[in-house]
Amino acid sequence: MISGRTQIIAHLGYPTESFTAPMIYNPWFAQRGIDAVVVPMGVKAEHYAAFLRPLFSLSNIRGALVTMPHKVTTAGMLDRVSTAVEIAGACNAILRCPDGSLYGEMFDGIGFTRAAKAQGFIFAGAACLIVGAGGVGSAIAAAIAPERPGSITLYDIRDGAAEALAARLRRHYPGLDIRLGDNDPAGCGLATFDLVVNATPLGMAKGDPLPFDPDRLSPGALVGDVVLGAGVTPLLQAAARHGCRTLVGTDMLFEQIPAYLDFFGYGHATAEELRAVANIAY
C-alpha cells in the first residue's frame, strides 16, 4: 500500500517496457513491510539533464536506479561518485545523502563478483580475462581490481577502448598487473586464465558469433556471460561441455540487488530470497 510516507526509488531509463526491477524490488518490499516503491520513469536522453536535479527535490525520494541510455551521462552530473564509477565512466545508482547531495555508485561489476564468489571462485591471485571494455566490462574490471587478482587482461575490438580502461585502472590501482591482450582464452603463452568474461553484446541476437573460442578455455575455469534474458547462452553451453564452470547474466542481476538494497539503506537480502519473490520468470 502506497502512503504519504512511502519512499520512492526512481528507475530511470528509456524505454521502460523491459524494466524488471519493479517486479523484483516491490514484492520484496511488500513481504518485508518496507514502505518504499520502485517506480519506472521513462526519460528520453534529450530531457534527462533537465530532469535529474528537479527529481531529487522531491521530499520523499530516496534514490534512483539508472539504466540505458543514461548511465554515462549520470556519472558527470553528481556531487560525488565511487571509484567504480570513475573507472567505468558510468553510474547505475544514485543515493540522496542527508545533506541533499547526490552520490553515485556502479553495481554491475559488484553483481558479477558476488555471483562468482557464490560459486566459490577466489579472485585473490587469479588470472582474469575480460573480453569487452565497454560499460559492463569496465564495471566488472573495477569490481575485480580491489579483490587482489593476479592479473587482469583486457581486450576490446574497438581501437583504444581497452587501453583507456587499462589507464583508468592503473591510476586507481597502481600496483595491479593490468595487461592488454586479445580474445584468446588460452592466454597466448601467458598464465592460464582462471576467469574469462564475455562483456560484449555478442549472444544477445540469435546467430551471433561467439566472442572467443571455447575450445581454447582451460577446463575448470569460470566463464561468465553478461548477456541477460538468454539463460544459458551458446557460449556457456560450449564452455560447460569443455569442463568449465559457468555464470549466467541473471546470476549477476540477482546478486547485485542485495548490494543496491544495502546502498539505499533497506537491509539485507539474499539472491535466493529475491528470486523467490520476484514476479518474473528467470
Side-chain angles (χ1 to χ4, degrees), residues 57-159:
S57 68
L58 296 175
S59 63
N60 61 332
I61 189 166
R62 178 63 173 156
L65 309 171
V66 182
T67 189
M68 297 301 292
H70 306 313
K71 292 183 182 181
V72 173
T73 303
T74 300
M77 295 180 64
L78 307 179
D79 300 301
R80 294 182 298 119
V81 298
S82 69
T83 297
V85 171
E86 292 182 352
I87 292 173
C91 170
N92 69 353
I94 305 170
L95 177 69
R96 187 175 70 176
C97 301
D99 64 359
S101 64
L102 302 183
Y103 176 70
E105 184 58 275
M106 167 52 77
F107 287 110
D108 285 345
I110 293 171
F112 182 88
T113 56
R114 287 176 68 130
K117 289 177 182 178
Q119 292 204 22
F121 186 80
I122 298 172
F123 283 95
C128 307
L129 170 64
I130 301 174
V131 178
V136 176
S138 296
I140 290 173
I144 291 175
E147 299 288 342
R148 297 179 291 109
S151 63
I152 299 177
T153 299
L154 306 170
Y155 169 77
D156 196 288
I157 194 171
R158 298 166 301 161
D159 289 342

Side-chain angles (χ1 to χ4, degrees), residues 8 14-15 19 69 74 81 103-104 128 133 150 159 168 182 201 235 238 261:
I8 295 172
Y14 183 82
F19 285 7
T74 300
V81 298
Y103 176 70
C128 307
D159 289 342
R168 297 194 299 272
D182 58 26
L235 171 65
L261 292 169

Side-chain angles (χ1 to χ4, degrees), residues 130-225:
I130 301 174
V131 178
V136 176
S138 296
I140 290 173
I144 291 175
E147 299 288 342
R148 297 179 291 109
S151 63
I152 299 177
T153 299
L154 306 170
Y155 169 77
D156 196 288
I157 194 171
R158 298 166 301 161
D159 289 342
E163 290 87 344
L165 174 55
R168 297 194 299 272
L169 285 166
R170 289 170 181 144
R171 184 161 59 249
H172 288 280
Y173 299 96
L176 188 59
D177 183 0
I178 306 294
R179 305 172 180 180
L180 298 174
D182 58 26
N183 64 338
D184 182 1
C188 296
L190 301 175
T192 301
F193 289 116
D194 305 296
L195 172 70
V196 182
V197 184
N198 172 36
T200 78
L202 293 175
M204 294 182 66
K206 186 176 181 180
D208 276 350
L210 298 181
F212 49 80
D213 182 357
D215 290 334
R216 299 279 289 170
L217 289 162
S218 174
L222 177 63
V223 180
D225 197 337

Side-chain angles (χ1 to χ4, degrees), residues 9-45:
I9 298 176
H11 190 179
L12 306 174
Y14 183 82
T16 62
E17 286 78 10
S18 62
F19 285 7
T20 58
M23 296 181 284
I24 303 172
Y25 287 83
N26 292 338
W28 191 82
F29 288 151
Q31 185 184 78
R32 294 297 180 95
I34 296 172
D35 197 0
V37 62
V38 171
V39 181
M41 296 185 181
V43 187
K44 292 183 178 180

